[in-house]
Amino acid sequence: VKTGKGKKIMENIRSILHEMENEENKLLKVRRGRLLENNLSIQVITLLIVVLAFLFVLFLIYYLQKSIIKRSKNLEKSEKKLRKTEQKLSLHVKQTPLAVIEWNLNFEVVDWNPAAEKIFGYTKQEAIGRKALDLIVSEDFKELGEKVWNSVITQKRGDRGENDNVTKNGKVIKCAWFN
């Protein structure tokens, strides 16, 4: 094998093996290149997805912020209108010649306008917190007054009525009530 034809055959085999090794190395380089390209493509795609998600979040934040600002401005306008309406109503209640009395569910005075002071003789401070039955309802009407009040707070009644009431100095006056 070391001389002659055997030597020549062995050299050919070595040459073929060497070529095969070179081709295999070339193929491995191509595969590595493709793997690197694929990895790079995956990284680029991942980066693109992250960037798009970030942009979406930024857009969402912008939209929400804009919506909150708009709602806040609308709320401010509504609050301003409400304050103006409350001021008008308060002015009407203070300036009306009719007694306006606000009661709580226990039939105690919560608010008492100037006309109520003039008609019944009690100041606002004297009337606040007092029960109607002890303040302006005549003895003859106390039992019926309790029934009327109960029907008003249970929504069974709440329209209009007339009865005798008593002022601070004991004078009996005829009053029309709108509940």
Side-chain angles (χ1 to χ4, degrees):
V1 178
K2 292 188 180 182
T3 59
K5 278 188 173 183
K7 185 177 180 183
K8 189 123 176 137
I9 293 174
M10 282 304 281
E11 285 178 7
N12 283 342
I13 290 175
R14 279 189 194 123
S15 173
I16 292 171
L17 286 173
H18 184 67
E19 283 179 31
M20 286 176 62
E21 188 179 323
N22 285 341
E23 285 300 315
E24 186 178 348
N25 285 336
K26 287 180 188 177
L27 285 174
L28 284 174
K29 284 182 182 178
V30 168
R31 283 185 184 162
R32 282 188 198 127
R34 286 183 185 161
L35 282 175
L36 288 175
E37 287 175 9
N38 287 343
N39 283 342
L40 187 61
S41 295
I42 290 171
Q43 289 173 350
V44 168
I45 290 170
T46 303
L47 181 63
L48 184 60
I49 290 171
V50 169
V51 167
L52 288 174
F54 180 74
L55 289 175
F56 176 75
V57 168
L58 283 179
F59 172 76
L60 189 61
I61 290 170
Y62 170 78
Y63 175 77
L64 290 174
Q65 184 180 22
K66 194 173 178 181
S67 177
I68 289 170
I69 289 169
K70 184 179 178 182
R71 287 182 182 192
S72 177
K73 286 179 182 179
N74 288 340
L75 182 61
E76 286 175 16
K77 287 178 186 177
S78 295
E79 287 174 343
K80 188 175 180 180
K81 284 181 183 178
L82 179 61
R83 279 192 300 274
K84 191 173 182 179
T85 301
E86 287 173 340
Q87 287 172 347
K88 282 182 180 180
L89 179 60
S90 177
L91 184 63
H92 288 305
V93 168
K94 286 178 184 171
Q95 293 181 346
T96 184
L98 302 173
V100 177
I101 304 170
E102 182 181 345
W103 314 96
N104 64 19
L105 293 177
N106 295 322
F107 208 12
E108 298 166 336
V109 176
V110 175
D111 200 8
W112 185 267
N113 78 339
E117 288 182 345
K118 185 176 179 183
I119 293 168
F120 294 103
Y122 295 98
T123 65
K124 183 175 184 172
Q125 291 77 19
E126 291 173 312
I128 297 289
R130 296 203 36 207
K131 287 189 174 272
L133 295 174
D134 300 330
L135 189 65
I136 60 171
V137 177
S138 68
E139 285 296 323
D140 299 341
F141 189 69
K142 284 188 180 189
E143 189 177 319
L144 183 58
E146 189 72 42
K147 289 179 184 174
V148 169
W149 178 251
N150 287 330
S151 68
V152 167
I153 62 172
T154 58
Q155 306 272 332
K156 293 180 182 170
R157 186 170 171 227
D159 48 9
R160 175 183 159 3
E162 285 187 23
N163 57 280
D164 291 338
N165 290 100
V166 181
T167 65
K168 181 178 180 179
N169 64 13
K171 181 179 174 185
V172 177
I173 58 174
K174 180 73 95 184
C175 293
W177 292 93
F178 299 88
N179 300 309

